[in-house]
């Protein structure tokens, strides 16, 4: 394997600086993950490798973004397989820090507050989740900054000085609300990084890939297909300049007994506000994001599709 594993911020800084010099690189990409990688993550990594000279993937199961301790314990840890997948995509470095490395003094006193965009949708059923996710994304964006970084104690250390390489970070469109919030954090707090959104990867039958799919039984997996079918229906209607008729698409989901619908709506991709009036009897106009969340058996699934008409 050509890929290298580093577990501390100091090693990450040394190794990424060495690689940038060795490759005479002018760009660095970061792919933040929690591991348990699948083809969706492979696509993030592939895109980052296509666009950057040096690519770092982080694997860190972040305790701050889990509500229940049992979910944190149950989260799959598959480092060896993850390294193989990332190596096959041409990623240079895996940064897999311990919880103590990332939170040396225990849970941080000061955190990122995701604000009102995090109160709805996923945020409504997972209080505190987005504050925890954004806090670690902020830290990971700092760790992965090319030619500079954080020392073990958290102090900011600069390397290359002026003429720093370009810096990009890659997030999946599948976690649409997270993507919107990361973009807002980067814009509102002036992080010097370009956020690149990578489209959702689906299996041949339409199911969006997710680390959680492994917890679905055969029957539940079959039932879960109604989510992507309902989204596709809206996409087809938008493309055909027809009214979206969200209600009929919702009935399709509700007719599946193994699926407990949480929300299904069409929102503005930047504000996450519903575009309710645009979704009824008149043809859909403009840009929107159809979002859905449901419990299928014991597993909560989310999916979305961009609409453009
Ligand atoms: O999407 C994820 O895997 C996580 O929320 C992220 C962005 C790696 C932060 O822990």
């Amino acid at each position: 394997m050509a890929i290298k594993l580093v577990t501390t911020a100091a090693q990450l800084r040394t190794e990424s600086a060495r690689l940038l010099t060795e490759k005479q690189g002018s760009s660095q990409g970061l792919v933040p993950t929690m591991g348990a990688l699948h083809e969706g993550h492979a696509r993030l990594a592939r895109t980052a490798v296509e666009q950057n000279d040096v690519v770092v993937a982080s694997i860190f199961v972040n305790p701050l973004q889990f509500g229940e301790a049992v979910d944190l314990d149950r989260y799959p840890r598959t480092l060896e397989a993850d390294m193989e997948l990332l190596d096959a995509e041409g990623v240079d470095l895996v940064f897999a820090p311990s919880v103590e490395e990332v939170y040396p003094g225990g849970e941080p006193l000061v955190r990122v507050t995701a604000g009102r965009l995090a109160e709805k949708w996923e945020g409504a059923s997972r209080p505190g989740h987005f504050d925890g996710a954004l806090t670690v994304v902020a830290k990971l964006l700092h760790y992965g900054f090319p030619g500079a970084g954080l020392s073990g104690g958290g102090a900011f250390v600069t390397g290359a000085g002026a003429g720093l390489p370009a810096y990009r970070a890659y997030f999946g469109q599948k976690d649409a609300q997270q993507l919107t919030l990361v973009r807002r954090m980067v814009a509102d707090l002036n992080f010097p990084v370009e956020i690149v959104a990578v489209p959702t990867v689906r299996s041949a039958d339409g199911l969006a890939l997710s680390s959680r799919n492994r917890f679905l039984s055969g029957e539940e997996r079959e039932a879960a297909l109604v989510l992507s079918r309902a989204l596709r229906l809206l996409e087809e209607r938008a493309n055909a300049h027809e009214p979206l008729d969200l209600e009929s698409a919702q009935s399709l989901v509700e007719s599946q007994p193994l699926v407990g619908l949480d929300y299904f709506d069409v929102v503005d991709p930047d504000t996450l506000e519903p575009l309710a009036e645009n979704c009824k009897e008149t043809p859909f106009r403009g840009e929107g994001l159809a979002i859905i969340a449901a419990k299928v058996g014991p597993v909560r699934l989310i999916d979305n599709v961009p609409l453009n008409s």
Side-chain angles (χ1 to χ4, degrees):
M1 264 203 263
I3 199 164
K4 189 161 182 175
L5 175 67
V6 294
T7 56
T8 67
Q11 288 169 345
L12 173 61
R13 194 170 59 248
T14 310
E15 284 304 317
S16 64
R18 185 183 62 74
L19 281 165
L20 273 172
T21 310
E22 204 174 277
K23 296 186 177 192
Q24 297 188 327
S26 60
S27 54
Q28 186 160 305
L30 174 74
V31 183
T33 81
M34 295 207 301
L37 305 183
H38 49 67
E39 181 52 34
H41 299 101
R43 184 155 179 191
L44 293 181
R46 205 172 306 143
T47 311
V49 168
E50 278 162 15
Q51 298 180 354
N52 299 279
D53 298 315
V54 173
V55 174
V56 178
S58 64
I59 298 179
F60 178 63
V61 183
N62 172 35
L64 291 194
Q65 68 190 81
F66 286 82
E68 308 273 339
V70 324
D71 292 341
L72 176 63
D73 295 342
R74 210 167 77 117
Y75 198 86
R77 272 99 168 153
T78 56
L79 183 62
E80 216 168 293
D82 293 347
M83 297 258 307
E84 270 171 32
L85 177 144
L86 294 167
D87 186 54
E89 296 302 336
V91 169
D92 299 288
L93 285 174
V94 170
F95 175 49
S98 64
V99 172
E100 294 70 34
E101 173 72 17
V102 177
Y103 303 120
E107 290 201 353
L109 280 178
V110 176
R111 302 174 188 215
V112 177
T113 306
R116 111 182 116 68
L117 290 187
E119 283 164 14
K120 289 185 188 223
W121 316 121
E122 283 312 285
S125 56
R126 305 176 70 187
H129 165 74
F130 286 118
D131 289 0
L134 286 190
T135 300
V136 86
V137 169
K139 292 189 69 127
L140 293 170
L141 290 174
H142 288 141
Y143 287 129
F145 195 78
L150 297 178
S151 71
F156 203 69
V157 183
T158 51
L164 286 171
Y167 183 29
R168 304 182 184 96
Y170 294 78
F171 291 84
Q173 175 63 48
K174 157 96 178 12
D175 291 309
Q177 191 170 8
Q178 171 173 275
L179 175 64
T180 299
L181 284 162
V182 168
R183 284 194 193 287
R184 280 310 294 247
M185 175 178 77
V186 162
D188 289 353
L189 303 181
N190 299 83
F191 280 59
V193 61
E194 179 192 341
I195 301 300
V196 182
V198 178
T200 303
V201 177
R202 300 179 181 279
S203 47
D205 55 14
L207 188 69
L209 298 196
S210 160
S211 317
R212 294 184 186 175
N213 292 353
R214 69 182 72 196
F215 300 120
L216 294 168
S217 69
E219 203 190 354
E220 287 159 358
R221 193 188 177 291
E222 192 56 36
L225 295 179
V226 77
L227 273 64
S228 52
R229 281 197 195 119
L231 289 172
R232 211 174 42 235
L233 194 62
L234 294 190
E235 190 182 24
E236 284 165 6
R237 288 175 183 165
N239 289 344
H241 308 288
E242 286 171 7
L244 291 187
D245 189 8
L246 186 59
E247 251 176 59
S248 70
Q250 184 161 332
S251 306
L252 176 75
V253 181
E254 284 167 344
S255 67
Q256 174 49 257
L258 289 182
V259 175
L261 185 62
D262 179 356
Y263 60 77
F264 185 24
D265 219 323
V266 178
V267 298
D268 178 302
D270 298 323
T271 64
L272 303 178
E273 289 299 328
L275 298 173
E277 282 316 306
N278 207 352
C279 302
K280 294 180 185 158
E281 291 98 19
T282 50
F284 181 77
R285 289 270 167 259
E287 257 189 80
L289 188 67
I291 54 172
I292 192 164
K295 237 177 156 187
V296 185
V299 188
R300 187 183 162 79
L301 296 178
I302 58 171
D303 198 355
N304 67 85
V305 74
L307 303 178
N308 213 324
S309 180

